[in-house]
Amino acid sequence: MFSALSLIRAVVALLVAMGVSVVAAIVFGFIAGHLTLLTAAAALICGACSAIYILKRVPLSAEPTRASVLDWFVIVCFGLFALRAFGWLLFVDGEDYSILSENNFSDMPLHLTFINYLARGPSFWPDNPIYSGLKLHYPIGTDLFNALLKMIGVNEIFSLTCVGLMASLITCVALYQWGKGFALAGFLFSGGTAGFSFFSDLWDTFRQFLHTGHFAFGICDYQFDEAWKNIALAMFLTQRGLLYAIPAGLFLLCSWRARWLGKTTSVLPLAIEAVLFSTLTLFNVHAFIWFSALLGYWLVIGPRSIRLHVAKLLGVSFIPATIFVALITGLFFPGGSMARVIHLKPGWLQEDDGFVEFWFGNFGVLPLCTAALVLLIFWKIEFRLASPQRKRWSVSRFRFRLIKRDWRDNSVRTAAAFVIPAIFLFLLACIVMFAPWEWDNTKIMVWSYLALLPFLWQYVVKPLPRLARATLCILLFFSGFVSLWGGIDLSHTGWPIVNRQELHDVEVATRDLPVNETFAAYPDLNHPLLLSGCKLVEGFEGHLHSHGIEYRPRLRQLNVLLSGQTDWRQIADELHVRYLFWGELEQRHYPQSLSPWRQQCTAIAHGEWGTIYDLNPQPTSVSDR
């Protein structure tokens, strides 16, 4: 009979299989020099074997839990979100490929670029397809996994959907293990006060109905323009590395909490903890930073048993984690280190907004609840009647006193061990930026938020009377609930990102061209060359800025090249450009271009989509593709 323990064992096995597949692909890529169909299949087989080994041989345990009605309500909401969001993650819409969520408009093209580029088998470690000549410094784990699936023949849209739904199942189980329905609600319905605009919109619609007799009411993602957005829509759906990092991190937190509590259940074996922890960098660098800081804190303040386990985990993980960090951050390559992007910026994204307006608007009552949590971890509040004989109700009848909790209690020490560093790291992320784009610090803040959720429930929400508990949950989650609803409801018809026929034609035209050669083309977000997996001189400048790449000097060179000015050939040689793409985008943005390559270079492919010129002086034949 399939039990909850069997489900946990299965999802942990799937998670480890994904991580092992990616690590194996990297190893095989270095050995062979590039990825091939054989190495892709071998990497996936390694992942499958690790999953089978966990299912058959590795002992896993979990505490028996029984879901309440409200827990099941949130689980169903999570399932509906996953089906809607990932079922229409990328879909065919007439002549276009479209995406459902506006949050994903700039992210999905980048991930498609990485997936298709890696699937073409570039030299390993690969160059950056959106900035030629620089090694790829990006957590490519999830995209590499999808590239492996594509290389063995799995349809791209099907694999994106399946990976998203599989990750959603694993994340749902991990969230429930970490904090039951409250943690699931906190993940799905995170927000501040923006969503309460729902009531004013509803009132305005009702007034219009009274005047016109026509009722047309629609909701939206009210937190779309806020700094602290809905986690499910703005992060889980768009930041593909979090499909692995969030459940991996949550299972680590569950295991470590059990160790702090001195329990034998819900503890992962050291080997699995090492796999999940050391591979975090391949999927999300910010998650690795947060968890490393947490372990460092425990290494200093933890009891002997915890410090011993942390030392073992860090010792086992040190070599692989160091290698992965060096690859992803560029420490192995000249000019590649991403450390330079770290900078001070107190206030995070507050800008000119007032302090109270910004923080209350983004987080609502969460800061007050967190302050209460810190107080209640160290002290219990005892209420009592001051005068039992007095029948009349008044505030003066009640007295309370603070009683210091017993620090020897494991549950108190465990709560403090998670809550204190989580708050510190959140506040640190409000001052120190770990990426050029300040919003990316949300990827650190989200871990502090998730770490607090079960303790908020245990110490702040659960002890309240039922009415007060319900009121507080509404204040915490209503804004996020309506934002999530508005972000994926059936009124959304999708956002087109590329014409299907144009993309197909460009893919055919470039299929046999060397993947390691560089194209000169206009740096557009959805350029069909990028979506075909080709390497460009420069890609979309918004992506380059967010990755900490100083792109402006090269952009000026690219503009000179595509304008066909006198020294265009010299610039092409400096940028190691082999092919030049001349299509609708290029003609639109460079209408005065002299286009000297028409006479001086060979057109190797052309069609309604444009023409590809080979800047190499060796003659080649023209083909219609």
Side-chain angles (χ1 to χ4, degrees), residues 350-597:
Q350 183 176 328
E351 302 297 342
D352 296 328
D353 296 341
F355 180 85
V356 175
E357 177 185 356
F358 176 81
W359 295 100
F360 180 70
N362 278 279
F363 297 97
V365 298
L366 180 62
L368 299 178
C369 293
T370 304
L373 171 62
V374 175
L375 175 68
L376 293 172
I377 285 176
F378 295 100
W379 289 277
K380 289 190 295 186
I381 299 180
E382 183 182 86
F383 289 92
R384 60 186 178 86
L385 289 175
S387 303
Q389 292 79 16
R390 295 176 59 180
K391 302 290 186 182
R392 185 179 177 183
W393 186 93
S394 68
V395 176
S396 61
R397 288 186 63 200
F398 295 91
R399 295 287 185 271
F400 72 90
R401 62 173 181 166
L402 296 176
I403 303 175
K404 192 172 183 179
R405 294 186 186 272
D406 185 1
W407 189 247
R408 293 170 296 182
D409 186 343
N410 266 357
S411 63
V412 175
R413 298 173 69 185
T414 300
F418 283 86
V419 169
I420 301 305
I423 293 175
F424 171 78
L425 290 170
F426 186 93
L427 295 176
L428 179 67
C430 295
I431 300 171
V432 180
M433 302 300 115
F434 292 87
W437 188 25
E438 286 80 8
W439 184 84
D440 278 342
N441 264 29
T442 308
K443 299 171 190 176
I444 288 180
M445 294 174 169
V446 69
W447 288 109
S448 294
Y449 172 73
L450 294 175
L452 293 177
L453 287 174
F455 303 103
L456 279 173
W457 171 258
Q458 179 182 352
Y459 287 94
V460 178
V461 181
K462 186 178 179 181
L464 294 174
R466 183 172 299 178
L467 180 60
R469 189 190 313 160
T471 302
L472 184 57
C473 287
I474 290 172
L475 292 174
L476 285 170
F477 301 140
F478 179 79
S479 177
F481 175 78
V482 295
S483 293
L484 183 70
W485 178 11
I488 60 172
D489 71 6
L490 295 178
S491 66
H492 294 276
T493 58
W495 299 79
I497 59 173
V498 69
N499 180 272
R500 294 168 55 205
Q501 187 61 51
E502 181 182 9
L503 179 60
H504 175 266
D505 291 343
V506 173
E507 285 179 338
V508 172
T510 59
R511 181 176 299 161
D512 298 326
L513 299 181
V515 64
N516 293 314
E517 297 291 352
T518 301
F519 283 79
Y522 178 73
D524 185 64
L525 174 67
N526 301 323
H527 199 291
L529 272 181
L530 286 174
L531 300 184
S532 300
C534 296
K535 182 173 63 173
L536 267 61
V537 170
E538 279 201 2
F540 178 55
E541 57 189 86
H543 292 151
L544 296 172
H545 170 71
S546 66
H547 295 177
I549 298 174
E550 181 49 58
Y551 63 91
R552 292 180 182 85
R554 183 181 287 193
L555 180 59
R556 289 192 287 270
Q557 288 183 296
L558 179 63
N559 288 333
V560 171
L561 192 164
L562 292 177
S563 297
Q565 298 182 20
T566 306
D567 55 349
W568 74 273
R569 171 73 74 174
Q570 178 184 348
I571 291 175
D573 291 340
E574 291 177 2
L575 298 176
H576 303 286
V577 174
R578 171 70 184 276
Y579 301 107
L580 187 144
F581 185 97
W582 195 252
E584 181 184 351
L585 282 169
E586 288 71 23
Q587 295 175 37
R588 186 193 316 157
H589 288 88
Y590 303 98
Q592 305 301 321
S593 176
L594 301 176
S595 306
W597 43 83

Side-chain angles (χ1 to χ4, degrees), residues 55-70:
L55 291 172
K56 297 294 184 180
R57 297 294 183 89
V58 177
L60 291 178
S61 58
E63 292 182 351
T65 56
R66 185 174 181 180
S68 66
V69 174
L70 290 177

Side-chain angles (χ1 to χ4, degrees), residues 236 238 620:
F236 192 67
T238 64
T620 54

Side-chain angles (χ1 to χ4, degrees), residues 71-91:
D71 290 338
W72 278 113
F73 170 75
V74 184
I75 291 171
V76 170
C77 288
F78 196 102
L80 293 175
F81 155 75
L83 289 172
R84 174 62 171 159
F86 291 102
W88 282 264
L89 182 67
L90 178 68
F91 60 96

Side-chain angles (χ1 to χ4, degrees), residues 50-321:
S50 67
I52 294 172
Y53 180 79
I54 290 173
L55 291 172
K56 297 294 184 180
R57 297 294 183 89
V58 177
L60 291 178
S61 58
E63 292 182 351
T65 56
R66 185 174 181 180
S68 66
V69 174
L70 290 177
D71 290 338
W72 278 113
F73 170 75
V74 184
I75 291 171
V76 170
C77 288
F78 196 102
L80 293 175
F81 155 75
L83 289 172
R84 174 62 171 159
F86 291 102
W88 282 264
L89 182 67
L90 178 68
F91 60 96
V92 174
D93 183 18
E95 297 181 351
D96 299 316
Y97 284 117
S98 296
I99 56 173
L100 175 68
S101 174
E102 186 179 2
N103 290 280
N104 221 2
F105 189 75
S106 65
D107 291 277
M108 181 51 66
L110 179 65
H111 293 298
L112 290 174
T113 296
F114 288 150
I115 290 170
N116 291 319
Y117 174 64
L118 293 168
R120 293 185 67 199
S123 298
F124 236 76
W125 184 258
D127 282 353
N128 194 333
I130 64 172
Y131 197 83
S132 64
L134 182 69
K135 293 298 181 182
L136 181 54
H137 306 141
Y138 186 84
I140 60 172
T142 307
D143 292 334
L144 179 54
F145 185 74
N146 273 104
L148 297 177
L149 295 175
K150 181 170 183 176
M151 293 181 77
I152 65 170
V154 181
N155 177 270
E156 190 172 46
I157 294 179
F158 180 75
S159 70
L160 285 168
T161 300
C162 288
V163 170
L165 292 176
M166 179 187 73
S168 297
L169 171 64
I170 299 172
T171 302
C172 183
V173 174
L175 281 166
Y176 185 81
Q177 283 296 110
W178 176 236
K180 295 190 176 181
F182 190 79
L184 280 163
F187 178 85
L188 280 179
F189 311 138
S190 57
T193 59
F196 287 94
S197 299
F198 166 85
F199 294 108
S200 62
D201 291 347
L202 183 62
W203 174 245
D204 290 342
T205 302
F206 179 70
R207 291 174 58 186
Q208 185 178 8
F209 169 72
L210 294 178
H211 287 289
T212 64
H214 178 66
F215 187 84
F217 179 66
I219 61 175
C220 61
D221 178 5
Y222 293 95
Q223 295 168 202
F224 182 81
D225 294 322
E226 299 292 322
W228 180 253
K229 307 178 189 298
N230 181 277
I231 293 173
L233 287 178
M235 297 187 69
F236 192 67
L237 185 58
T238 64
Q239 309 295 315
R240 289 184 53 77
L242 293 178
L243 296 178
Y244 176 92
I246 284 182
L250 289 170
F251 278 122
L252 286 174
L253 290 177
C254 290
S255 181
W256 295 343
R257 178 177 60 184
R259 292 185 188 278
W260 269 93
L261 292 172
K263 297 179 179 180
T264 58
T265 56
S266 301
V267 173
L268 296 175
L270 178 63
I272 294 182
E273 285 190 8
V275 170
L276 296 179
F277 173 68
S278 60
T279 55
L280 279 178
T281 303
L282 296 174
F283 294 85
N284 188 271
V285 175
H286 297 83
F288 183 79
I289 292 173
W290 192 91
F291 279 89
S292 297
L294 181 66
L295 291 176
Y297 175 79
W298 289 348
L299 197 59
V300 175
I301 64 96
R304 185 176 180 275
S305 60
I306 296 299
R307 285 187 282 114
L308 181 61
H309 178 73
V310 170
K312 289 180 180 178
L313 177 59
L314 293 177
V316 173
S317 307
F318 179 78
I319 293 178

